[in-house]
Amino acid sequence: MKYNKKFQEILARLDKIDDEECQSLKQEIAVLSEIYEKKDARLNKIIKLSDKQQRAILELNEELDSYKNNLEEKVQEEITKRKQQEDLLFEQSRLAKIAEMIDAVAHQWVQPLNIIWMNTELLTLEAKKNNGVSPKRVQEFKENSSSQINHLLKTLNNFRDFFRPMKEQTSFRLTKTITSVLDLVNDDLVKHSIEVTCNIKDDLILVGNENEFKHILLNLISNSKYAFLENKITDRKITINILQEEQKLEYIDNAGGIKEELLATLFDMHTSTKGLEGTGIGLYMSQQIAKKHYGELIAENFEDGAKFTFIYKGGGNR
């Protein structure tokens, strides 16, 4: 508008001059003024439209920021819920294992307690019959009782270590972990005539929670035992291999294998190899534990049974 006013001032001055050239110039200036007014009006419309668009963009950005913040909150809420759910599932799995282990403890303690009781009764009868017992017999009784008590203490310590909460991550050797688990379930394996063979040339060292990792082996052994009984397998064998170069732990049984329709979803929640008797938690939690230890569980049918492979992805053996 400032320039249009200047045009008007020039035209007013030209009106005072009576000259043909001035009149021609006046017409040209009038045409330019009209063109300017049109372009100025158009520019004002563009500026107003641009302002509206900028306001709309700002409002959209504010709405997007609000949506983003709400989305982040919802994602965090879902992550928290999932973590709580997994913690609850793991606790349920742990409690189920506690029940199994208590039963195993009771079974493992029956025999040594019976032996101690029988030796005590024999010693008492000998003392009554012979008006005393020889120092040699007392020493035999002491050694035999000590052996049985040591077995009880070892069993107790193994179970206490298994149930002790472990918050911090530590490094642990798989050979030691496997031995500890087999000690825990030894009497149960003997009771059900299950032969376990370990092929360990080299060791693997993992970083994580050893007691949690034990759950993987305990779940696999429990599933094998169920399959042996369900499929009426009499020659029951489990083979455990540590392949250090390939960073693998293999668990193989001859219990009849896994149903083909279950293989694709075997590690999903609520998928059970035990039919109505299973909860579908054991293998799901085993896979979650494997992932926490920088690995993965893979299941397949192998010869006349099943093969589970823990593949360690955390790097070289330390």
Side-chain angles (χ1 to χ4, degrees):
M1 297 301 293
K2 179 173 68 173
Y3 292 104
N4 196 36
K5 187 177 180 181
K6 290 285 186 181
F7 282 134
Q8 297 301 326
E9 290 176 357
I10 293 170
L11 288 172
R13 289 178 184 177
L14 290 173
D15 283 338
K16 296 176 181 180
I17 302 172
D18 187 15
D19 187 278
E20 288 184 3
E21 290 184 5
C22 288
Q23 292 303 319
S24 176
L25 179 61
K26 180 181 175 181
Q27 289 177 357
E28 291 179 4
I29 291 173
V31 172
L32 288 173
S33 176
E34 185 180 351
I35 294 172
Y36 173 80
E37 283 184 3
K38 289 180 179 178
K39 290 189 175 181
D40 186 58
R42 185 180 177 188
L43 180 61
N44 285 334
K45 286 182 180 179
I46 292 173
I47 290 171
K48 288 179 181 178
L49 182 62
S50 177
D51 289 342
K52 287 182 180 178
Q53 288 176 338
Q54 286 183 3
R55 282 196 296 270
I57 290 171
L58 287 172
E59 289 174 359
L60 286 172
N61 282 335
E62 290 176 358
E63 187 178 343
L64 184 61
D65 286 340
S66 175
Y67 178 77
K68 180 183 175 183
N69 291 334
N70 289 335
L71 183 62
E72 287 177 351
E73 289 177 5
K74 288 181 180 179
V75 169
Q76 190 57 47
E77 286 177 6
E78 289 302 316
I79 290 173
T80 302
K81 286 180 182 177
R82 183 180 178 87
K83 178 68 168 58
Q84 290 173 345
Q85 186 181 36
E86 287 187 356
D87 289 345
L88 181 60
L89 287 172
F90 181 77
E91 186 62 19
Q92 289 176 348
S93 177
R94 196 177 78 90
L95 290 174
K97 281 292 171 285
I98 286 176
E100 290 183 21
M101 293 298 101
I102 288 174
D103 183 63
V105 167
H107 182 76
Q108 290 197 49
W109 277 29
V110 166
Q111 185 176 356
L113 287 173
N114 280 339
I115 291 173
I116 292 173
W117 178 80
M118 289 173 60
N119 284 336
T120 304
E121 287 295 306
L122 285 172
L123 194 68
T124 303
L125 289 173
E126 286 180 22
K128 287 180 179 179
K129 183 178 179 180
N130 302 322
N131 294 320
V133 291
S134 66
K136 181 181 177 181
R137 184 68 183 88
V138 171
Q139 184 62 29
E140 288 176 355
F141 174 78
K142 178 183 175 182
E143 290 176 358
N144 189 283
S145 297
S146 294
S147 173
Q148 299 304 321
I149 290 170
N150 286 334
H151 177 71
L152 293 174
L153 290 174
K154 181 182 177 182
T155 304
L156 181 62
N157 287 332
N158 283 337
F159 283 98
R160 184 176 62 183
D161 289 342
F162 177 70
F163 295 130
R164 181 181 291 128
M166 296 177 66
K167 299 288 185 182
E168 296 181 0
Q169 289 195 340
T170 58
S171 61
F172 58 93
R173 294 182 177 275
L174 269 185
T175 50
K176 177 177 172 292
T177 304
I178 293 168
T179 300
S180 177
V181 168
L182 294 179
D183 282 343
L184 284 171
V185 296
N186 179 65
D187 281 19
D188 202 35
L189 293 171
V190 172
K191 175 184 175 182
H192 292 95
S193 303
I194 300 172
E195 178 186 340
V196 179
T197 302
C198 293
N199 298 315
I200 301 171
K201 294 182 179 180
D202 296 294
D203 209 345
L204 271 179
I205 301 176
L206 304 184
V207 175
N209 187 315
E210 184 179 9
N211 281 347
E212 281 191 9
F213 195 86
K214 288 178 182 178
H215 276 270
I216 297 177
L217 293 169
L218 287 169
N219 280 325
L220 295 179
I221 292 171
S222 175
N223 287 348
S224 293
K225 183 178 74 174
Y226 176 87
F228 283 134
L229 297 173
E230 182 71 11
N231 297 325
K232 296 180 173 57
I233 306 295
T234 54
D235 183 23
R236 302 166 181 172
K237 294 181 180 180
I238 293 172
T239 302
I240 299 174
N241 303 318
I242 290 182
L243 307 175
Q244 194 273 330
E245 289 186 3
E246 299 176 44
Q247 302 283 280
K248 290 180 181 179
L249 168 68
E250 292 180 340
Y251 175 96
I252 305 167
D253 67 26
N254 64 332
I258 304 163
K259 293 180 180 178
E260 289 295 332
E261 62 267 24
L262 294 179
L263 276 173
T265 59
L266 191 64
F267 296 108
D268 291 354
M269 197 185 304
H270 305 312
T271 296
S272 175
T273 58
K274 299 178 182 178
L276 296 176
E277 294 184 31
T279 62
I281 294 176
L283 288 175
Y284 169 78
M285 289 310 305
S286 294
Q287 183 68 285
Q288 301 310 307
I289 293 170
K291 290 178 179 178
K292 283 176 67 176
H293 289 79
Y294 312 102
E296 180 184 14
L297 271 180
I298 296 174
E300 59 186 308
N301 284 320
F302 179 77
E303 295 181 354
D304 51 357
K307 177 179 178 181
F308 289 84
T309 306
F310 170 75
I311 302 175
Y312 180 55
K313 301 179 180 180
N317 191 27
R318 293 173 299 282

